[in-house]
Amino acid sequence: MEHTSRALPKIRASHISKVFSNGKERVEALRDFSLEVQEGEFLCIVGPSGCGKSSFLRILAGLLPASSGTIEIQPGEDPGKPLTSMVFQEYAVFPWKTVLENVGFGLQMRGVPKAERLTIAQSWIERVGLSKFIHAYPHQLSGGMKQRVGIARALASDPEILLMDEPLGALDAQTRTLLQEEILRIWEERRKTVVYVTHSIEEAVLLGDRVVLMTAHPGTQKAVFPIPLPRPRDLKVMATAEFGELTYTIWEALRGEVLKAMKLLGET
Amino acid sequence: MNGKGNPKLLSLLTLLFALWNGCLTLFHGWTAFWWLGLGVDFLLIVGIAELIGKRIPPLYAPLYRRSLSVSFPLLLFLAWELLVRGGVLSPDWFPPPSRIVQALWELITKFDEFSKTSLLGRPWLLLGAAWGNRPETVKELLAESHLYATLMRVFVGFFLGATPGILLGMVMGVSPTIRTMIDATLSAFYVLPKIAIFPIMMLIFPDPFGEGPKIAVVAISVFFLVTINTMVGVRDIEPVYLEAGRNYGASGFRLFYHVILPGALPVVFAGLRIALGTALIVIIAVEFVRAKTGVGFLTFYYWEILSPEKMYAGLVVVMVLGVLLTAGLKKVEQWVMPWRKP
């Protein structure tokens, strides 16, 4: 029994398309996009802006219906746990809730008793290094700290799959590097299934087990790159020749897509 | 010698200021050239203040700025006072500030025998009555108080208008169907000057000269402003908050309570602030037209009996009322939304 469930992929997305239409214009965000993600895999999706990677993540999260195609997600053993939790960009933490309330939000919505909720939230706040700010409101925090709250909020609700939508995209380079390290460290502890959308190739190679490259307008899958870098990883891996080679190979493949996307934007 | 705030230039400007005002006074130039005199004085004072500002140590800079913002209006009052005393401005139109203060003091401390009213309800009697537990007397005294009458109309009208306004605005913000149905109608009513419906209100209420129509006009003005702002606040919530709320399992009422309501509150409060100011404008206008009490009535009454300094005193009361009410709402706002940057 356990053996068969292991064999099934955690996520199987088959022939997903998504068309946005407002009556006059039709925008095809995704076309025939298929993807399988294994249990415990850290999958990164890279593509030029407008390639529908955020749409795909929202379809996975159930926030957006697909125009066609199917999504299968293997549920875990505990039906009380959510299938997915999303980490948005850092401004998505609720400004009207304290750090503690933000991190405990998913648990609260699931009806977890208050005492248990506080314990879990507190332990996650400690793990992202925000114990001093437990009762602070987001406006008192820096961008990087806010995103730590966002990550803790997603992890505290202990989802089957963690979805991350360019979580570090709006942060400055140094904060981003710090948080990349932190994401690696936290992920190595649990090895949760992660789908991570980013526009940074370095970030994708550093974090991911596989990198999926998408084309733009409409978004389709262009190539998949396995990242054979050893685990557990840390930032040192960025100094290796292998890392540089992988990054360059993916960039070579991406370059044409970026140019195409820019040309398309320029023409309209 | 750091070159900042040249002390020589400072003394020169001060000297110029003294000379300019001295000459104008000496040669009786104020009557004909008071506007030029004040204009040049203003420029010289700005120059002097700027130069002093450069010499103030950074530690005292905030204190200096505050003293500027306090002393400038005082200086204006001084200029006003002097211009009236010098016979440049007519005291019939612009009674000097000293007389306005005097009139205000009279309004506060005296009972008007003719109209049987007072501004504050004779606090010296009011406190005694409240202390001595005589509710009948307290009621009578409050009934003769202009301030109490205006405040009551504003508060009751504001509450009666804001409550349904917030509710309808929330519903319209959440439901696109209801929004599309009502929006155009609402916009049409929104542009109507609310004072124009006062006659209708007088027609509807059994006692056209009672409190009913006055409170109703305030309530209606507040209602439309609050409804529209609440609707916009709810409609324009950052979509990512809704996505986050839904992704973490909130829906229906809990999504509303945890995400939509707090997300809309800043805009709702902006609407309440505008509505409170409008309520004050509307009630003063209504009291001009048809009232036997109220600060608006008081102001207009003293115009009718040609007592300009008391008329001005009435305006001062309105201004103070406006400032205090807005400050009060600000406090409520901070209490309701502790997460906002102060």
Side-chain angles (χ1 to χ4, degrees):
Chain A
M1 181 68 206
E2 217 191 338
H3 188 77
T4 47
S5 77
R6 278 254 172 90
L8 280 172
K10 189 72 187 167
I11 305 171
R12 179 187 281 155
S14 328
H15 312 291
I16 302 289
S17 14
K18 177 69 196 172
V19 179
F20 292 102
S21 157
N22 65 355
K24 284 179 206 154
E25 274 180 283
R26 267 171 52 96
V27 177
E28 202 176 3
L30 285 168
R31 182 191 286 172
D32 198 24
F33 186 78
S34 297
L35 186 68
E36 285 186 359
V37 185
Q38 301 304 318
E39 170 97 57
E41 188 182 18
F42 199 124
L43 182 101
C44 292
I45 302 179
V46 183
S49 41
C51 72
K53 47 193 197 292
S54 281
S55 299
F56 177 66
L57 222 52
R58 278 165 175 70
I59 292 169
L60 277 185
L63 291 169
L64 203 64
S67 301
S68 65
T70 53
I71 299 268
E72 288 167 68
I73 295 176
Q74 294 304 313
E77 277 137 32
D78 183 355
K81 284 182 185 174
L83 281 183
T84 65
S85 287
M86 179 105 101
V87 180
F88 302 86
Q89 290 211 338
E90 95 277 351
Y91 57 83
V93 300
F94 300 125
W96 49 85
K97 290 185 181 290
T98 62
V99 169
L100 186 62
E101 288 165 348
N102 260 299
V103 175
F105 181 67
L107 299 166
Q108 189 185 3
M109 290 301 107
R110 250 165 54 209
V112 175
K114 193 170 182 183
E116 193 187 337
R117 189 166 89 212
L118 292 184
T119 321
I120 297 173
Q122 256 165 355
S123 79
W124 276 107
I125 291 167
E126 261 165 51
R127 245 186 279 187
V128 296
L130 288 177
S131 303
K132 272 189 195 160
F133 300 92
I134 195 159
H135 296 297
Y137 284 107
H139 78 81
Q140 296 163 294
L141 307 179
S142 69
M145 286 154 90
K146 273 186 219 166
Q147 195 52 298
R148 285 194 168 90
V149 177
I151 293 169
R153 176 172 73 175
L155 288 168
S157 56
D158 197 14
E160 288 297 317
I161 300 160
L162 190 63
L163 305 174
M164 303 181 89
D165 183 21
E166 302 196 27
L168 312 181
L171 303 176
D172 65 85
Q174 283 139 33
T175 312
R176 198 182 311 151
T177 312
L178 271 179
L179 275 169
Q180 284 165 352
E181 251 180 328
E182 214 148 308
I183 289 171
L184 270 178
R185 180 175 59 76
I186 292 171
W187 183 79
E188 302 282 5
E189 284 173 20
R190 299 278 178 97
R191 303 246 171 170
K192 222 177 243 313
T193 315
V194 178
V195 180
Y196 191 107
V197 162
T198 175
H199 53 244
S200 156
I201 298 172
E202 279 89 355
E203 191 168 290
V205 174
L206 173 68
L207 298 174
D209 293 318
R210 271 192 305 157
V211 174
V212 172
L213 183 61
M214 285 180 75
T215 62
H217 307 285
T220 51
Q221 187 177 312
K222 183 171 167 115
V224 181
F225 301 89
I227 308 296
L229 298 170
R231 298 266 189 195
R233 278 180 215 163
D234 55 34
L235 282 181
K236 253 184 277 171
V237 83
M238 295 178 90
T240 60
E242 211 181 348
F243 182 90
E245 242 160 68
L246 280 164
T247 318
Y248 185 71
T249 318
I250 299 176
W251 170 242
E252 279 288 271
L254 180 61
R255 169 185 230 145
E257 286 309 314
V258 176
L259 286 175
K260 206 173 86 189
M262 284 171 81
K263 210 181 273 172
L264 262 175
L265 282 177
E267 275 167 11
T268 47
Chain B
M1 291 308 278
N2 52 9
K4 276 185 187 170
N6 191 333
K8 270 184 198 157
L9 194 59
L10 183 58
S11 357
L12 182 74
L13 278 183
T14 317
L15 189 69
L16 258 177
F17 182 75
L19 268 177
W20 171 250
N21 287 285
C23 283
L24 271 178
T25 313
L26 217 68
F27 300 111
H28 306 285
W30 280 107
T31 322
F33 299 109
W34 64 273
W35 44 274
L36 184 67
L38 284 187
V40 172
D41 274 352
F42 176 69
L43 291 180
L44 286 171
I45 288 172
V46 168
I48 292 169
E50 178 84 32
L51 286 174
I52 296 177
K54 281 183 184 158
R55 294 170 65 81
I56 292 280
L59 183 62
Y60 298 108
L63 189 72
Y64 176 67
R65 274 201 296 276
R66 213 168 310 143
S67 75
L68 277 187
S69 70
V70 171
S71 54
F72 183 71
L74 290 179
L75 218 57
L76 270 185
F77 283 130
L78 183 71
W80 180 355
E81 182 84 34
L82 290 175
L83 283 176
V84 177
R85 292 215 177 161
V88 178
L89 291 177
S90 158
D92 294 340
W93 304 332
F94 303 105
S98 58
R99 268 173 61 199
I100 295 174
V101 170
Q102 218 178 338
L104 190 62
W105 180 246
E106 246 172 67
L107 282 181
I108 290 170
T109 55
K110 288 220 168 66
F111 175 68
D112 188 71
E113 288 295 343
F114 182 72
S115 66
K116 298 266 178 264
T117 56
S118 65
L119 177 63
L120 303 176
R122 287 183 279 181
W124 58 99
L125 295 180
L126 196 60
L127 284 176
W131 193 257
N133 207 5
R134 280 171 290 152
E136 283 307 308
T137 325
V138 171
K139 228 185 214 173
E140 272 171 40
L141 285 169
L142 284 181
E144 66 165 54
S145 160
H146 294 295
L147 188 72
Y148 179 76
T150 302
L151 271 180
M152 259 340 198
R153 288 166 193 154
V154 168
F155 280 147
V156 176
F158 187 73
F159 179 77
L160 289 181
T163 314
I166 289 177
L167 289 177
L168 180 65
M170 294 269 170
V171 171
M172 285 176 72
V174 172
S175 156
T177 313
I178 299 179
R179 183 161 70 228
T180 345
M181 276 164 56
I182 303 183
D183 203 10
T185 320
L186 206 65
S187 307
F189 273 105
Y190 173 72
V191 294
L192 185 76
K194 300 312 170 296
I195 191 82
I197 53 173
F198 185 53
I200 307 177
M201 291 300 124
M202 288 178 69
L203 210 59
I204 290 173
F205 279 84
D207 177 10
F209 307 110
E211 293 300 297
K214 303 183 182 75
I215 291 173
V217 177
V218 173
I220 288 170
S221 330
V222 168
F223 171 76
F224 285 105
L225 280 165
V226 171
T227 306
I228 287 184
N229 273 282
T230 307
M231 176 192 80
V232 170
V234 173
R235 192 194 57 193
D236 293 354
I237 288 180
E238 191 69 55
V240 83
Y241 294 146
L242 297 176
E243 285 183 335
R246 282 164 55 206
N247 186 236
Y248 289 99
S251 60
F253 177 74
R254 284 195 304 177
L255 184 69
F256 179 79
Y257 180 75
H258 285 282
V259 181
I260 297 176
L261 181 66
L265 268 183
V267 186
V268 173
F269 264 98
L272 287 177
R273 257 198 317 269
I274 303 170
L276 188 60
T278 310
L280 202 58
I281 294 172
V282 167
I283 198 58
I284 297 298
V286 165
E287 285 171 355
F288 273 7
V289 185
R290 182 78 58 218
K292 286 277 165 273
T293 49
V295 182
F297 163 78
L298 179 88
T299 309
F300 207 72
Y301 170 72
Y302 285 114
W303 173 79
E304 283 178 319
I305 65 167
L306 288 179
S307 178
E309 58 272 0
K310 283 190 179 163
M311 190 180 85
Y312 273 88
L315 293 185
V316 171
V317 174
V318 175
M319 273 151 73
V320 171
L321 208 56
V323 169
L324 289 183
L325 284 178
T326 316
L329 189 63
K330 188 113 201 152
K331 278 269 167 267
V332 174
E333 202 176 323
Q334 280 163 0
W335 178 69
V336 175
M337 300 190 288
W339 67 82
R340 297 277 280 176
K341 255 180 237 178

